[in-house]
């Protein structure tokens, strides 16, 4: 069955610290997609990244980086040199392609990140 | 270029009333989605559409109906609202399904059912 577990419920760091948000997923499919989203206090959702199961390359985008490891079913997100503006709830999600050609997406419960100045 | 817009931003309904939430995107995206977010939880997919005239059920479709008569619009209907449908509703769109893509979200609609 599909499942997404975000290990940390809340993390608190001081500005400029590096922080890693863990995401572990379960799926029986060989084709699937993984996502990270950011939800700042204002409430809107910001798409950060999507990876497919056949692409295990790590990705870096500015201060953000993602580590995808199929062997451990993990898709972890690291923020380098955190800033106050990074304070938000971060969601990890898994999407499987169904037999009918559609797909279903499961979100983790979220990790709330507090970055103190 | 407005991106993804949602109407209304906030609504209060009484149990049993009906309403329609409108999502509009001006990016010519094929894929559109409706999610709900409950306090302290992640998003749950209600319905989605892979193109004009097509819709499909997501994780929590019961109590909702959708239509995609025009490519740019995706409507979410509640025929008989229940307090359990109190939530924040997000619409999203994307240009593709496979490979790497970007999903764009609307600002959300807060719905309170009394």
């Amino acid at each position: 069955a599909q499942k997404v577990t975000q290990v940390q419920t809340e993390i608190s760091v001081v500005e400029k610290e590096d922080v890693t948000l863990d995401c572990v997923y379960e799926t029986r499919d060989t084709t699937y997609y993984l996502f990270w989203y950011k939800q700042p206090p204002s409430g809107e959702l910001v798409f950060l990244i999507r990876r497919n199961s056949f692409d295990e390359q790590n990705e870096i985008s500015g201060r953000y980086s993602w580590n995808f490891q199929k062997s451990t079913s993990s898709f972890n997100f690291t923020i380098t040199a955190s800033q106050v503006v990074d304070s938000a709830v971060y969601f990890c999600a898994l999407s499987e392609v169904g037999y009918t050609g559609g797909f279903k997406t499961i979100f983790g419960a979220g990790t709330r990140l507090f970055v103190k100045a | 270029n407005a991106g993804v817009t949602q109407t209304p931003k906030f609504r209060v309904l009484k149990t049993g009333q009906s309403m329609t939430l409108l999502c509009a995107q001006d990016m010519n995206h094929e894929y559109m989605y409706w999610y709900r977010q409950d306090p302290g939880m992640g998003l749950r997919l209600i319905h989605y559409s892979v193109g004009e005239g097509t819709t499909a059920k997501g994780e929590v479709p019961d109590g909702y109906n959708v239509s995609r008569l025009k490519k740019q619009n995706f409507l979410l209907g509640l025929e008989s609202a229940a307090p359990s449908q109190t939530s924040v509703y997000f619409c999203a769109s994307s240009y593709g399904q496979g490979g790497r893509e970007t999903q764009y979200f609307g600002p959300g609609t807060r719905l309170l059912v009394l």
Side-chain angles (χ1 to χ4, degrees):
Chain A
Q2 260 186 330
K3 188 177 179 181
V4 176
T5 303
Q6 292 188 244
V7 179
Q8 306 100 337
T9 304
E10 286 188 3
I11 302 176
S12 183
V13 299
V14 177
E15 209 171 18
K16 296 185 184 177
E17 283 186 16
D18 297 347
V19 58
T20 296
L21 285 62
D22 298 325
C23 174
V24 177
Y25 62 92
E26 293 179 26
T27 178
R28 284 179 282 191
D29 282 8
T30 56
T31 300
Y32 53 90
Y33 304 88
L34 296 163
F35 307 78
W36 275 97
Y37 297 88
K38 174 182 179 180
Q39 188 174 43
S42 52
E44 75 272 22
L45 282 155
V46 179
F47 171 85
L48 296 178
I49 190 171
R50 169 182 167 139
R51 301 303 298 274
N52 71 58
S53 52
F54 299 108
D55 184 0
E56 284 192 76
Q57 285 189 354
N58 292 330
E59 180 146 346
I60 298 174
S61 177
R63 296 184 297 107
Y64 294 171
S65 63
W66 291 269
N67 181 259
F68 177 26
Q69 291 195 343
K70 289 178 75 171
S71 60
T72 56
S73 296
S74 64
F75 187 42
N76 297 336
F77 173 33
T78 297
I79 302 175
T80 303
S82 60
Q83 299 176 1
V84 172
V85 293
D86 295 326
S87 296
V89 179
Y90 291 86
F91 292 100
C92 179
L94 164 69
S95 180
E96 291 178 338
V97 177
Y99 293 106
T100 59
F103 64 95
K104 54 180 181 176
T105 302
I106 298 291
F107 280 73
T111 296
R112 185 176 295 275
L113 175 65
F114 296 98
V115 181
K116 302 177 210 175
Chain B
N1 192 339
V4 179
T5 58
Q6 292 182 231
T7 308
K9 289 185 171 54
F10 178 69
R11 184 75 182 268
V12 179
L13 287 179
K14 293 181 180 178
T15 297
Q17 286 185 321
S18 64
M19 79 163 294
T20 300
L21 282 66
L22 171 63
C23 175
Q25 52 96 3
D26 60 3
M27 296 173 282
N28 202 34
H29 286 171
E30 290 292 336
Y31 293 79
M32 297 188 74
Y33 321 80
W34 275 108
Y35 296 91
R36 61 177 287 174
Q37 183 182 30
D38 299 307
M41 295 181 66
L43 279 74
R44 291 183 292 171
L45 183 65
I46 305 172
H47 285 280
Y48 63 97
S49 169
V50 301
E52 181 178 321
T54 71
T55 62
K57 294 180 180 179
E59 182 188 357
V60 287
D62 294 340
Y64 304 95
N65 56 75
V66 289
S67 65
R68 183 103 181 265
L69 298 179
K70 293 183 179 179
K71 186 177 184 179
Q72 63 268 33
N73 296 336
F74 195 28
L75 279 66
L76 178 71
L78 286 73
E79 289 187 350
S80 179
S84 61
Q85 294 177 304
T86 293
S87 189
V88 180
Y89 291 85
F90 287 98
C91 175
S93 71
S94 62
Y95 62 84
Q97 179 184 0
R100 301 183 183 209
E101 64 166 54
T102 299
Q103 292 191 38
Y104 296 86
F105 279 84
T109 294
R110 290 186 177 275
L111 176 64
L112 175 62
V113 182
L114 301 175

